[in-house]
Structure formats: structure tokens, C-alpha cells
Amino acid sequence: MNAGALGRRAMPRPLPSAEPQAPVLDLATVYEAHFRYVWRCLRSLGVRDSQLEDALQDVFIVVQRRLPEFDGRAELGTWLYAIALRIARKYRERARREPASLEAAREGDPELPRPSQQESGDRALERERLALARRALASLADDKREVFVLARVEQMSAPEIAEVLGIPLNTVYSRLRAARLAFDAEITRLRGSHRSTP
Amino acid sequence: MNWDDDDDSVFEQALRADLPSLSEQNRLRQRILAAGLAAGTALASTNVAAAAQASFGASALSKLSALSWPAKLGLAAVIAAPVAGVALPLAHEYEPVRAAALVSRVRSSAATVRPQSGAKAALSPAHLLPPEAAPGVATEPGSEPARALPNVAVRPSALAAGNPSTPVAPNPSPNPPANDSASSAQAAVAAFASAHEPAASEAQRPRDESTLAAETQLLDRAFAALGAGDRSTAAALITEHARRFPNGLLRQERERARARLTPDPKGD
């Protein structure tokens, strides 16, 4: 997969206007431009694969409801991420209340794609990397995970993250630092266990 | 597996590249658009039923493109959940994100519409077009931002009559006088309840109630009542919303509606 082709800013920024104005947007346009990234964000934030479509639709139900009020002061992508973040939290909370989901969460991520023997080596390697990355993400505390995903996956700036999460900028940086350390440590641990696996 | 060339950025890239496949994209697109198109169908059937009982097809698309957002929104909320089985208990606790900075308020008045049961069935795969195939859905440069459609609002009696087989919630005044505002308020609440209480017999519906749809409809009707000066009905609907959805997605809208009830702090 051409991960490198994804720019620094994965989510398109369709509203370059300097002055906040009510943009003329419709749901279909917004959806078409952004749903892949919202999907990725929800997935990275811990929404289980089996609930991903529901969560995505929930996001766009909220978007549809609130889109007429979107005034362009925030970037559309940031606005969408903010909604996705809240929806993802609710799905995580609900999943934790369900014994089966809790068990699944402890397993890391049972819904990871399984490489087939017909896959090319590169494709299998990509899958393994993604599997490890998602497991490492799942090991993070929620507050750190959110900052990590918004910063490292969705490529938002720290001030944008601070705005979305409603936390001080310094807290964004401290959480990101801690998340990065924990993510690295988990990757190292998982890679070690993977190597030791026959 | 050889990990020697791996580093942390590789794993982050893997996460960034984790986008839905083309088949997933198509499925997701159809699902969302199905909700939107269903909304258009429902409105065409509900709002302009007498004037436009035309075939679905192009006329529905053209109608959809001419609708205001509140109408689409309410209808999609009502219809999307049954279509998709949306898990809306999660939405109870939704909080607008840094609302002042990021999210503007939902308009206080919006059309209240009720989809007809046949709306969803009227959909066929041929209608579930991607946006490039349905330009009338994708763009609407002349669309009017949220304005109420008072002629679309469903009267309580219409709600009650529309669901004769649904178990009816206890109603202290089943036959309220038409000009009794308190009774009409109770009737409005009872009608809403009868239309939205879960029906045990509807086993074929996996998630038989959309919380967001129910909240939307209830509050839309409350705002419509406020707009019409019917404060007792509005108060009853707001109270009903607070009872059923104390931590609902739209609780802020509820409180804003409540604030509009009075100058009189004691309410009605």
C-alpha cells in the first residue's frame, strides 16, 4: 500500500478561506471527501470492526444534523474528527460494558485481517505491521491513544488536538510523548514475542 | 518475518494507510446514501403526498435536491437507523465538541416528518447510486439552510393514527378536547410515545428504535410547538424527552428549548 503517498495532512482541507464564512456544504460531498478518514480514525480509536459501519453512520448522522450550522471557523476535517472522537468514545465505553467485548479487547484486536498464504511477501508484511500497530494502539490508555491517533495517524497539529480534546497544549505534548513511549515499548514487546513464536 | 527494516514510522504509516478497501467503500457509500435517498422518498410521500405520488426514480431525486437540510436530517435520522441498525445508545452521551469553537448549534426549528413504512421498501439497488451517479444528491447549490417546514409537521393525531397497532402508552385523557391545551399536550406526548415505544412484536427489526431519531422527532415537535406558541405542548414534549433521554444526544437542545419556555420560571 502506498502509505507514503499519503501526505502530511491526510484529511483534505477543503476550506482555505481566510474569513470564517458559512460554507455551502452538503452531506454527500462531505461524506465522499472524508468518510475514508473518519473510518480510519474510528478504527484507530478502538471501534471494533463489527461496529465500524454503525459508528461511521452515527458520525454522519450527527454531521448531517449539524452541517447547516457549520460556520467554517474550524476546519471541516477537525470538526469531523471531533465528532468521530466522541462517537468512538461511546462505542468503546459500550464495548467495555459487554463481557465479550472486554474479552476481545484484552486479546488485543481479534478482528485483524489474517494474512493468507497466497499473499505476496510485501502484502503480508504490511498486514503484520498493521496488526502490530493496532495491537500497540490498543494497549494505550484512552487519553494517550486519542492524542497519538490524532497526531501520528491523522496528522493533526497539537493546537488542533488541544482544541478538539479541550485540553491545554502542554497536555497534548505530554500525552503524545507518553503515548509514543508506550507505543514503542509495546511494538518492541510484540516484535520480540513474534520472533519467539515458532 | 523480517523486521529489520522496520521502525516506528513504518508502523505509523501502516496505520495511516489503513483505509477501507474499494468494496468496503462502495458498501459504506451505499449505506449512507440509502439513508439519504430514503429520506427523500419519505418526504415525497409525507409532505407532498397529495401533489406528488409520482414514481420514485428521477422525481424523488429532484425532490431530494430541493429539500432543506432539516428535512433531510430528520428523515435520515428516522430512517437511517432502521436501515443500518445504528447503535444509538452511544449517542446518549454525545457532547458537541468544544461547541462554541467547533460546532454551531442546531437550529431550533426544523421540520418534523414521519417516514411512511413503505419508504424503505421503495428503495431498490438501482437507486443506491454513488454520488457521481446521482448528482442531484451530491450537490445542491441552491439548497436553503435549515428552515422549518411547518406544513410538514406531523400533528399528534396523525402520529397516533399512523400506528394503530402499536401498543399505546397509558394516557390519562384518551379523548382530549381539541381546544384544551393541557390535554392536547398530553395527547401529543402520548401520541409520540405510542409511535416510539418499542413494540415487542416487531421481532424482524433488529434495533427497533432509533434513539437519535426519536430524540430528533420529539424535540423537533417541541420546537415546532414553541414556534406556534403552544407552550404547554412544548413543555410536555420537553418533559417527555427529559424522562426518556435524560443524558441524550440532544439534551443541550432540550435545555435550550426549555429555556425558551419561559419568562415564567414556573413554566406552565
Side-chain angles (χ1 to χ4, degrees):
Chain A
M1 193 169 292
N2 54 347
L6 297 171
R8 151 129 185 92
R9 182 74 186 175
M11 177 84 81
R13 297 185 178 210
L15 301 171
S17 60
E19 296 181 0
Q21 293 178 344
V24 179
L25 297 169
D26 64 80
L27 180 68
T29 303
V30 172
Y31 179 83
E32 192 60 30
H34 295 282
F35 80 95
R36 300 168 196 81
Y37 309 105
V38 174
W39 183 93
R40 177 182 65 188
C41 184
L42 291 168
R43 192 161 138 103
S44 297
L45 289 172
V47 176
R48 299 189 65 199
D49 286 358
S50 59
Q51 298 175 327
L52 206 48
E53 290 188 21
D54 286 348
L56 183 72
Q57 181 151 332
D58 285 354
V59 169
F60 281 94
I61 285 174
V62 175
V63 169
Q64 185 176 27
R65 179 172 180 82
R66 297 184 176 272
L67 194 58
E69 303 292 331
F70 180 73
D71 58 10
R73 282 182 294 175
E75 288 195 36
L76 183 60
T78 304
W79 185 73
L80 289 172
Y81 281 135
I83 295 172
L85 189 77
R86 266 60 182 179
I87 296 291
R89 282 179 181 173
K90 301 313 165 193
Y91 271 85
R92 287 201 307 264
E93 289 169 7
R94 193 179 63 170
R96 287 186 182 119
R97 291 195 296 267
E98 299 171 0
S101 298
L102 178 60
E103 180 181 354
R106 284 175 175 164
E107 290 174 357
D109 192 340
E111 297 171 351
L112 291 172
R114 295 177 180 174
S116 68
Q117 294 185 348
Q118 287 75 28
E119 283 184 321
S120 69
D122 287 347
R123 180 62 180 153
L125 182 60
E126 287 174 4
R127 281 181 176 268
E128 289 290 343
R129 285 172 175 165
L130 177 60
L132 284 184
R134 292 192 64 194
R135 286 176 182 271
L137 268 185
S139 74
L140 299 180
D142 286 347
D143 56 348
K144 296 179 180 61
R145 179 180 190 155
E146 289 174 352
V147 172
F148 185 88
V149 167
L150 294 179
R152 304 303 301 171
V153 180
E154 306 304 339
Q155 310 250 280
M156 291 174 65
S157 70
E160 287 174 326
I161 296 170
E163 186 177 19
V164 166
L165 294 176
I167 58 178
L169 189 58
N170 284 343
T171 305
V172 174
Y173 288 124
S174 63
R175 285 185 189 175
L176 181 57
R177 185 167 51 246
R180 193 68 190 272
L181 288 172
F183 184 83
D184 291 352
E186 184 66 8
I187 288 287
T188 302
R189 187 188 72 79
L190 290 170
R191 289 175 66 175
S193 64
H194 188 279
R195 284 192 176 112
S196 64
T197 303
Chain B
M1 191 70 64
N2 177 17
W3 298 103
D4 292 343
D5 58 345
D6 288 342
D7 57 26
D8 295 332
S9 65
V10 169
F11 292 100
E12 291 167 6
Q13 285 180 13
L15 290 170
R16 284 196 288 275
D18 184 25
L19 294 168
S21 66
L22 286 177
S23 62
E24 287 171 324
Q25 290 180 31
N26 288 334
R27 190 178 65 251
L28 294 168
R29 191 179 286 119
Q30 284 190 354
R31 179 171 169 169
I32 292 291
L33 291 179
L37 288 175
T41 311
L43 187 70
S45 302
T46 305
N47 185 26
V48 273
Q53 284 293 341
S55 62
F56 177 73
S59 64
L61 286 176
S62 62
K63 287 183 177 64
L64 177 63
S65 67
L67 298 178
S68 65
W69 270 108
K72 292 177 182 176
L73 180 156
L75 285 162
V78 168
I79 297 173
V83 168
V86 175
L88 281 169
L90 70 97
H92 277 241
E93 300 298 330
Y94 172 75
E95 297 174 4
V97 182
R98 302 279 291 174
L102 295 175
V103 182
S104 300
R105 301 295 186 186
V106 175
R107 289 188 186 279
S108 60
S109 63
T112 300
V113 291
R114 183 173 62 86
Q116 292 186 346
S117 59
K120 179 181 168 187
L123 284 175
S124 70
H127 296 126
L128 306 180
L129 302 175
E132 59 271 21
V137 179
T139 58
E140 32 176 88
S143 70
E144 178 189 29
R147 277 294 138 208
L149 293 177
N151 59 329
V152 182
V154 177
R155 297 177 185 282
S157 58
L159 268 179
N163 233 340
S165 61
T166 305
V168 178
N171 185 353
S173 59
N175 297 305
N179 56 355
D180 185 332
S181 63
S183 297
S184 70
Q186 290 176 340
V189 173
F192 180 87
S194 69
H196 290 82
E197 286 294 345
S201 62
E202 297 182 7
Q204 75 278 10
R205 196 186 296 176
R207 294 172 187 177
D208 55 359
E209 185 176 39
S210 160
T211 302
L212 179 58
E215 283 195 65
T216 300
Q217 192 166 15
L218 193 51
L219 281 184
D220 281 351
R221 295 186 60 227
F223 278 116
L226 278 172
D230 187 357
R231 289 170 51 197
S232 62
T233 297
L237 290 165
I238 291 167
T239 300
E240 175 68 6
H241 183 277
R243 182 185 71 80
R244 296 189 57 190
F245 312 107
N247 297 310
L249 174 67
L250 303 180
R251 63 184 183 277
Q252 291 184 334
E253 280 75 15
R254 178 185 71 220
E255 296 312 312
R256 194 163 58 249
R258 195 192 302 279
R260 285 181 55 187
L261 278 176
T262 64
D264 178 8
K266 292 182 180 180
D268 295 295

PDB file of all heavy atoms in Angstrom, chain B residues 195-220:
ATOM      1  N   ALA B 195     -46.052   6.022  19.272  1.00  0.00           N
ATOM      2  CA  ALA B 195     -45.371   5.817  17.997  1.00  0.00           C
ATOM      3  C   ALA B 195     -43.955   5.313  18.167  1.00  0.00           C
ATOM      4  O   ALA B 195     -43.361   4.810  17.236  1.00  0.00           O
ATOM      5  CB  ALA B 195     -45.362   7.115  17.193  1.00  0.00           C
ATOM      6  N   HIS B 196     -43.404   5.480  19.362  1.00  0.00           N
ATOM      7  CA  HIS B 196     -41.993   5.155  19.523  1.00  0.00           C
ATOM      8  C   HIS B 196     -41.685   4.148  20.612  1.00  0.00           C
ATOM      9  O   HIS B 196     -40.542   3.750  20.762  1.00  0.00           O
ATOM     10  CB  HIS B 196     -41.205   6.434  19.807  1.00  0.00           C
ATOM     11  CG  HIS B 196     -41.138   7.318  18.620  1.00  0.00           C
ATOM     12  ND1 HIS B 196     -42.153   8.166  18.272  1.00  0.00           N
ATOM     13  CD2 HIS B 196     -40.186   7.450  17.673  1.00  0.00           C
ATOM     14  CE1 HIS B 196     -41.827   8.808  17.165  1.00  0.00           C
ATOM     15  NE2 HIS B 196     -40.642   8.398  16.784  1.00  0.00           N
ATOM     16  N   GLU B 197     -42.659   3.768  21.420  1.00  0.00           N
ATOM     17  CA  GLU B 197     -42.369   2.739  22.402  1.00  0.00           C
ATOM     18  C   GLU B 197     -42.000   1.467  21.662  1.00  0.00           C
ATOM     19  O   GLU B 197     -42.623   1.110  20.658  1.00  0.00           O
ATOM     20  CB  GLU B 197     -43.579   2.484  23.295  1.00  0.00           C
ATOM     21  CG  GLU B 197     -43.828   3.597  24.304  1.00  0.00           C
ATOM     22  CD  GLU B 197     -42.725   3.705  25.338  1.00  0.00           C
ATOM     23  OE1 GLU B 197     -41.924   2.763  25.467  1.00  0.00           O
ATOM     24  OE2 GLU B 197     -42.650   4.746  26.008  1.00  0.00           O
ATOM     25  N   PRO B 198     -41.009   0.736  22.167  1.00  0.00           N
ATOM     26  CA  PRO B 198     -40.621  -0.485  21.475  1.00  0.00           C
ATOM     27  C   PRO B 198     -41.794  -1.458  21.390  1.00  0.00           C
ATOM     28  O   PRO B 198     -42.525  -1.645  22.352  1.00  0.00           O
ATOM     29  CB  PRO B 198     -39.507  -1.055  22.355  1.00  0.00           C
ATOM     30  CG  PRO B 198     -38.987   0.117  23.101  1.00  0.00           C
ATOM     31  CD  PRO B 198     -40.165   1.046  23.296  1.00  0.00           C
ATOM     32  N   ALA B 199     -41.953  -2.029  20.258  1.00  0.00           N
ATOM     33  CA  ALA B 199     -43.017  -2.994  20.048  1.00  0.00           C
ATOM     34  C   ALA B 199     -42.413  -4.385  20.047  1.00  0.00           C
ATOM     35  O   ALA B 199     -41.605  -4.723  19.209  1.00  0.00           O
ATOM     36  CB  ALA B 199     -43.725  -2.720  18.724  1.00  0.00           C
ATOM     37  N   ALA B 200     -42.809  -5.164  21.044  1.00  0.00           N
ATOM     38  CA  ALA B 200     -42.197  -6.482  21.198  1.00  0.00           C
ATOM     39  C   ALA B 200     -42.482  -7.373  20.008  1.00  0.00           C
ATOM     40  O   ALA B 200     -41.730  -8.277  19.695  1.00  0.00           O
ATOM     41  CB  ALA B 200     -42.718  -7.133  22.480  1.00  0.00           C
ATOM     42  N   SER B 201     -43.596  -7.090  19.332  1.00  0.00           N
ATOM     43  CA  SER B 201     -43.957  -7.973  18.227  1.00  0.00           C
ATOM     44  C   SER B 201     -43.116  -7.740  16.990  1.00  0.00           C
ATOM     45  O   SER B 201     -43.104  -8.557  16.082  1.00  0.00           O
ATOM     46  CB  SER B 201     -45.421  -7.758  17.875  1.00  0.00           C
ATOM     47  OG  SER B 201     -45.619  -6.427  17.446  1.00  0.00           O
ATOM     48  N   GLU B 202     -42.423  -6.645  16.933  1.00  0.00           N
ATOM     49  CA  GLU B 202     -41.649  -6.355  15.732  1.00  0.00           C
ATOM     50  C   GLU B 202     -40.294  -7.019  15.816  1.00  0.00           C
ATOM     51  O   GLU B 202     -39.258  -6.378  15.873  1.00  0.00           O
ATOM     52  CB  GLU B 202     -41.514  -4.845  15.546  1.00  0.00           C
ATOM     53  CG  GLU B 202     -42.854  -4.173  15.333  1.00  0.00           C
ATOM     54  CD  GLU B 202     -42.686  -2.688  15.108  1.00  0.00           C
ATOM     55  OE1 GLU B 202     -41.539  -2.227  14.984  1.00  0.00           O
ATOM     56  OE2 GLU B 202     -43.702  -1.997  15.072  1.00  0.00           O
ATOM     57  N   ALA B 203     -40.323  -8.322  15.846  1.00  0.00           N
ATOM     58  CA  ALA B 203     -39.076  -9.054  16.017  1.00  0.00           C
ATOM     59  C   ALA B 203     -38.183  -8.953  14.810  1.00  0.00           C
ATOM     60  O   ALA B 203     -36.983  -9.178  14.895  1.00  0.00           O
ATOM     61  CB  ALA B 203     -39.377 -10.521  16.317  1.00  0.00           C
ATOM     62  N   GLN B 204     -38.779  -8.612  13.669  1.00  0.00           N
ATOM     63  CA  GLN B 204     -37.962  -8.558  12.465  1.00  0.00           C
ATOM     64  C   GLN B 204     -37.087  -7.330  12.433  1.00  0.00           C
ATOM     65  O   GLN B 204     -36.211  -7.225  11.597  1.00  0.00           O
ATOM     66  CB  GLN B 204     -38.860  -8.600  11.230  1.00  0.00           C
ATOM     67  CG  GLN B 204     -39.605  -7.320  10.933  1.00  0.00           C
ATOM     68  CD  GLN B 204     -40.867  -7.170  11.752  1.00  0.00           C
ATOM     69  OE1 GLN B 204     -41.090  -7.931  12.674  1.00  0.00           O
ATOM     70  NE2 GLN B 204     -41.685  -6.176  11.423  1.00  0.00           N
ATOM     71  N   ARG B 205     -37.310  -6.421  13.318  1.00  0.00           N
ATOM     72  CA  ARG B 205     -36.489  -5.221  13.313  1.00  0.00           C
ATOM     73  C   ARG B 205     -35.411  -5.366  14.373  1.00  0.00           C
ATOM     74  O   ARG B 205     -35.698  -5.394  15.562  1.00  0.00           O
ATOM     75  CB  ARG B 205     -37.350  -3.996  13.638  1.00  0.00           C
ATOM     76  CG  ARG B 205     -36.651  -2.703  13.274  1.00  0.00           C
ATOM     77  CD  ARG B 205     -37.444  -1.521  13.718  1.00  0.00           C
ATOM     78  NE  ARG B 205     -38.732  -1.407  13.049  1.00  0.00           N
ATOM     79  CZ  ARG B 205     -39.610  -0.474  13.363  1.00  0.00           C
ATOM     80  NH1 ARG B 205     -39.358   0.385  14.308  1.00  0.00           N
ATOM     81  NH2 ARG B 205     -40.745  -0.418  12.733  1.00  0.00           N
ATOM     82  N   PRO B 206     -34.146  -5.505  13.979  1.00  0.00           N
ATOM     83  CA  PRO B 206     -33.104  -5.829  14.939  1.00  0.00           C
ATOM     84  C   PRO B 206     -32.927  -4.748  15.996  1.00  0.00           C
ATOM     85  O   PRO B 206     -32.715  -5.032  17.148  1.00  0.00           O
ATOM     86  CB  PRO B 206     -31.855  -5.985  14.077  1.00  0.00           C
ATOM     87  CG  PRO B 206     -32.158  -5.254  12.815  1.00  0.00           C
ATOM     88  CD  PRO B 206     -33.627  -5.354  12.621  1.00  0.00           C
ATOM     89  N   ARG B 207     -32.980  -3.541  15.593  1.00  0.00           N
ATOM     90  CA  ARG B 207     -32.918  -2.461  16.572  1.00  0.00           C
ATOM     91  C   ARG B 207     -34.128  -1.604  16.309  1.00  0.00           C
ATOM     92  O   ARG B 207     -34.166  -0.830  15.370  1.00  0.00           O
ATOM     93  CB  ARG B 207     -31.637  -1.669  16.407  1.00  0.00           C
ATOM     94  CG  ARG B 207     -30.437  -2.514  16.737  1.00  0.00           C
ATOM     95  CD  ARG B 207     -29.187  -1.812  16.390  1.00  0.00           C
ATOM     96  NE  ARG B 207     -28.067  -2.730  16.570  1.00  0.00           N
ATOM     97  CZ  ARG B 207     -26.829  -2.423  16.283  1.00  0.00           C
ATOM     98  NH1 ARG B 207     -26.538  -1.236  15.831  1.00  0.00           N
ATOM     99  NH2 ARG B 207     -25.866  -3.292  16.455  1.00  0.00           N
ATOM    100  N   ASP B 208     -35.109  -1.808  17.159  1.00  0.00           N
ATOM    101  CA  ASP B 208     -36.437  -1.361  16.762  1.00  0.00           C
ATOM    102  C   ASP B 208     -36.657   0.120  17.024  1.00  0.00           C
ATOM    103  O   ASP B 208     -37.720   0.624  16.797  1.00  0.00           O
ATOM    104  CB  ASP B 208     -37.478  -2.209  17.476  1.00  0.00           C
ATOM    105  CG  ASP B 208     -37.259  -2.186  18.968  1.00  0.00           C
ATOM    106  OD1 ASP B 208     -36.309  -1.532  19.411  1.00  0.00           O
ATOM    107  OD2 ASP B 208     -38.023  -2.823  19.672  1.00  0.00           O
ATOM    108  N   GLU B 209     -35.695   0.787  17.530  1.00  0.00           N
ATOM    109  CA  GLU B 209     -35.929   2.204  17.771  1.00  0.00           C
ATOM    110  C   GLU B 209     -34.633   2.954  17.611  1.00  0.00           C
ATOM    111  O   GLU B 209     -33.601   2.555  18.098  1.00  0.00           O
ATOM    112  CB  GLU B 209     -36.491   2.420  19.166  1.00  0.00           C
ATOM    113  CG  GLU B 209     -36.863   3.863  19.405  1.00  0.00           C
ATOM    114  CD  GLU B 209     -37.503   4.016  20.768  1.00  0.00           C
ATOM    115  OE1 GLU B 209     -37.042   3.349  21.692  1.00  0.00           O
ATOM    116  OE2 GLU B 209     -38.431   4.783  20.878  1.00  0.00           O
ATOM    117  N   SER B 210     -34.688   3.999  16.931  1.00  0.00           N
ATOM    118  CA  SER B 210     -33.519   4.850  16.807  1.00  0.00           C
ATOM    119  C   SER B 210     -33.600   5.932  17.861  1.00  0.00           C
ATOM    120  O   SER B 210     -34.501   6.737  17.882  1.00  0.00           O
ATOM    121  CB  SER B 210     -33.465   5.480  15.428  1.00  0.00           C
ATOM    122  OG  SER B 210     -32.641   6.621  15.470  1.00  0.00           O
ATOM    123  N   THR B 211     -32.638   5.903  18.759  1.00  0.00           N
ATOM    124  CA  THR B 211     -32.658   6.895  19.816  1.00  0.00           C
ATOM    125  C   THR B 211     -32.550   8.291  19.245  1.00  0.00           C
ATOM    126  O   THR B 211     -33.294   9.194  19.623  1.00  0.00           O
ATOM    127  CB  THR B 211     -31.496   6.628  20.781  1.00  0.00           C
ATOM    128  OG1 THR B 211     -31.636   5.320  21.298  1.00  0.00           O
ATOM    129  CG2 THR B 211     -31.501   7.634  21.905  1.00  0.00           C
ATOM    130  N   LEU B 212     -31.624   8.449  18.335  1.00  0.00           N
ATOM    131  CA  LEU B 212     -31.439   9.780  17.773  1.00  0.00           C
ATOM    132  C   LEU B 212     -32.675  10.210  17.006  1.00  0.00           C
ATOM    133  O   LEU B 212     -33.114  11.355  17.096  1.00  0.00           O
ATOM    134  CB  LEU B 212     -30.214   9.795  16.860  1.00  0.00           C
ATOM    135  CG  LEU B 212     -29.927  11.134  16.190  1.00  0.00           C
ATOM    136  CD1 LEU B 212     -29.744  12.233  17.222  1.00  0.00           C
ATOM    137  CD2 LEU B 212     -28.691  11.027  15.319  1.00  0.00           C
ATOM    138  N   ALA B 213     -33.235   9.289  16.270  1.00  0.00           N
ATOM    139  CA  ALA B 213     -34.437   9.633  15.514  1.00  0.00           C
ATOM    140  C   ALA B 213     -35.563  10.023  16.455  1.00  0.00           C
ATOM    141  O   ALA B 213     -36.279  11.005  16.223  1.00  0.00           O
ATOM    142  CB  ALA B 213     -34.849   8.458  14.638  1.00  0.00           C
ATOM    143  N   ALA B 214     -35.703   9.244  17.531  1.00  0.00           N
ATOM    144  CA  ALA B 214     -36.767   9.546  18.477  1.00  0.00           C
ATOM    145  C   ALA B 214     -36.526  10.883  19.162  1.00  0.00           C
ATOM    146  O   ALA B 214     -37.439  11.696  19.322  1.00  0.00           O
ATOM    147  CB  ALA B 214     -36.863   8.425  19.513  1.00  0.00           C
ATOM    148  N   GLU B 215     -35.273  11.098  19.533  1.00  0.00           N
ATOM    149  CA  GLU B 215     -34.957  12.386  20.154  1.00  0.00           C
ATOM    150  C   GLU B 215     -35.217  13.531  19.200  1.00  0.00           C
ATOM    151  O   GLU B 215     -35.791  14.564  19.570  1.00  0.00           O
ATOM    152  CB  GLU B 215     -33.477  12.404  20.565  1.00  0.00           C
ATOM    153  CG  GLU B 215     -33.159  11.639  21.812  1.00  0.00           C
ATOM    154  CD  GLU B 215     -31.779  12.025  22.328  1.00  0.00           C
ATOM    155  OE1 GLU B 215     -31.602  13.183  22.723  1.00  0.00           O
ATOM    156  OE2 GLU B 215     -30.880  11.172  22.307  1.00  0.00           O
ATOM    157  N   THR B 216     -34.781  13.334  17.984  1.00  0.00           N
ATOM    158  CA  THR B 216     -34.936  14.396  16.991  1.00  0.00           C
ATOM    159  C   THR B 216     -36.399  14.736  16.786  1.00  0.00           C
ATOM    160  O   THR B 216     -36.797  15.897  16.814  1.00  0.00           O
ATOM    161  CB  THR B 216     -34.312  13.946  15.660  1.00  0.00           C
ATOM    162  OG1 THR B 216     -32.932  13.672  15.871  1.00  0.00           O
ATOM    163  CG2 THR B 216     -34.456  15.018  14.605  1.00  0.00           C
ATOM    164  N   GLN B 217     -37.178  13.703  16.639  1.00  0.00           N
ATOM    165  CA  GLN B 217     -38.579  13.955  16.358  1.00  0.00           C
ATOM    166  C   GLN B 217     -39.271  14.618  17.544  1.00  0.00           C
ATOM    167  O   GLN B 217     -40.067  15.554  17.384  1.00  0.00           O
ATOM    168  CB  GLN B 217     -39.274  12.639  16.010  1.00  0.00           C
ATOM    169  CG  GLN B 217     -40.653  12.855  15.421  1.00  0.00           C
ATOM    170  CD  GLN B 217     -41.202  11.611  14.784  1.00  0.00           C
ATOM    171  OE1 GLN B 217     -40.704  10.523  15.002  1.00  0.00           O
ATOM    172  NE2 GLN B 217     -42.250  11.758  13.997  1.00  0.00           N
ATOM    173  N   LEU B 218     -38.931  14.131  18.723  1.00  0.00           N
ATOM    174  CA  LEU B 218     -39.558  14.693  19.914  1.00  0.00           C
ATOM    175  C   LEU B 218     -39.202  16.166  20.070  1.00  0.00           C
ATOM    176  O   LEU B 218     -40.068  17.021  20.296  1.00  0.00           O
ATOM    177  CB  LEU B 218     -39.086  13.890  21.132  1.00  0.00           C
ATOM    178  CG  LEU B 218     -39.823  14.067  22.455  1.00  0.00           C
ATOM    179  CD1 LEU B 218     -41.314  13.915  22.271  1.00  0.00           C
ATOM    180  CD2 LEU B 218     -39.316  13.052  23.459  1.00  0.00           C
ATOM    181  N   LEU B 219     -37.946  16.472  19.928  1.00  0.00           N
ATOM    182  CA  LEU B 219     -37.543  17.860  20.114  1.00  0.00           C
ATOM    183  C   LEU B 219     -37.976  18.746  18.955  1.00  0.00           C
ATOM    184  O   LEU B 219     -38.305  19.915  19.156  1.00  0.00           O
ATOM    185  CB  LEU B 219     -36.025  17.940  20.301  1.00  0.00           C
ATOM    186  CG  LEU B 219     -35.545  17.564  21.700  1.00  0.00           C
ATOM    187  CD1 LEU B 219     -34.051  17.768  21.834  1.00  0.00           C
ATOM    188  CD2 LEU B 219     -36.272  18.355  22.773  1.00  0.00           C
ATOM    189  N   ASP B 220     -37.959  18.196  17.777  1.00  0.00           N
ATOM    190  CA  ASP B 220     -38.456  18.996  16.655  1.00  0.00           C
ATOM    191  C   ASP B 220     -39.894  19.406  16.887  1.00  0.00           C
ATOM    192  O   ASP B 220     -40.299  20.534  16.602  1.00  0.00           O
ATOM    193  CB  ASP B 220     -38.336  18.202  15.355  1.00  0.00           C
ATOM    194  CG  ASP B 220     -36.923  18.221  14.809  1.00  0.00           C
ATOM    195  OD1 ASP B 220     -36.100  18.980  15.346  1.00  0.00           O
ATOM    196  OD2 ASP B 220     -36.649  17.479  13.857  1.00  0.00           O
TER     197      ASP B 220
END
